[in-house]
Structure formats: structure tokens, C-alpha cells
Amino acid sequence: MPVIKILPHPEYCPAGAEISAPAGTSICEALLEHDIPIEHACEMSCACTTCHVIVREGYDALNPPDEDEEDLLDRAWGLTPQSRLSCQAIVGARDLTVEIPKYSINHAKEKH
């Protein structure tokens, strides 16, 4: 079973983590199943960018992004060539290293 290494994030995973996930699972589902509370404001329907992650290692092992995901990623803060929406990035057969960006575009979280 592939291992997903999550780099430290001050809010969601301060110490970092390594979790196992079966191939065919989205990165978002795997994180949530292991109590890493990544944001997912649209309930994983590919309608927002709150679950944006940067795949530091293993990007090529994921399914390719479709046009809808690429269009949404254009709105994400801190976009890189290795950015994916974790709800759309499906784990393949290889291990991954994932970074959860420090900032999100989730306005509901702002506590105004």
C-alpha cells in the first residue's frame, strides 16, 4: 500500500505524518481517514480550491488533472506546477510526499 508523507503544517499536521492509503483513494480521503483535517469546503466535488495541496514527490504517479481541476487550480493561492486538488488526485502505486499550503482561499474560515 502506498505511503503518503505529509510535511508539517502548523494547523493541520504540526509534526507531519506518514499514512498508508490504498491505490484508488483520493489524497483528501486518505488525509481525512487518518484524522488530518484538510479543508474541503465543497465536500470533495471539485467545486473549490480549499483542498489544494502541493505534491512534492510522486506527482507522476497520480491520475492526470482534468480541465475542471486545472481551471480551479488557477484560483488557488500559492499555485505551483506540482499543485493538485487533493479531492481529485487519486493515489497510484507509488509513495507520495504532500505539502498542505499554509494559506487557503476558504473565506468561511476567516472568522469575520
Side-chain angles (χ1 to χ4, degrees):
M1 199 174 325
V3 172
I4 303 173
K5 178 180 179 181
I6 299 93
L7 299 177
H9 182 282
E11 185 176 351
Y12 303 123
C13 193
E18 288 193 11
I19 61 174
S20 295
T25 303
S26 74
I27 292 173
C28 188
E29 290 170 324
L31 295 177
L32 293 171
E33 287 173 9
H34 287 88
D35 299 320
I36 299 170
I38 188 168
E39 293 181 47
H40 55 289
C42 72
E43 296 300 321
M44 298 183 269
S45 66
C46 193
C48 72
T49 63
T50 59
C51 71
H52 168 227
V53 296
I54 301 166
V55 182
R56 296 294 181 193
E57 292 180 21
Y59 184 92
D60 294 338
L62 300 171
N63 62 312
D66 65 18
E67 190 174 320
D68 290 336
E69 181 182 356
E70 288 179 342
D71 288 345
L72 282 169
L73 280 169
D74 287 340
R75 302 178 197 166
W77 291 356
L79 184 67
T80 76
Q82 295 82 29
S83 288
R84 290 296 304 266
L85 297 181
S86 66
C87 70
Q88 300 302 303
I90 305 301
V91 175
R94 292 196 346 241
D95 294 348
L96 305 170
T97 299
V98 173
E99 177 183 350
I100 301 170
K102 186 174 180 181
Y103 299 105
S104 164
I105 198 164
N106 186 0
H107 299 291
K109 186 181 169 204
E110 297 288 324
K111 300 178 186 165
H112 289 247

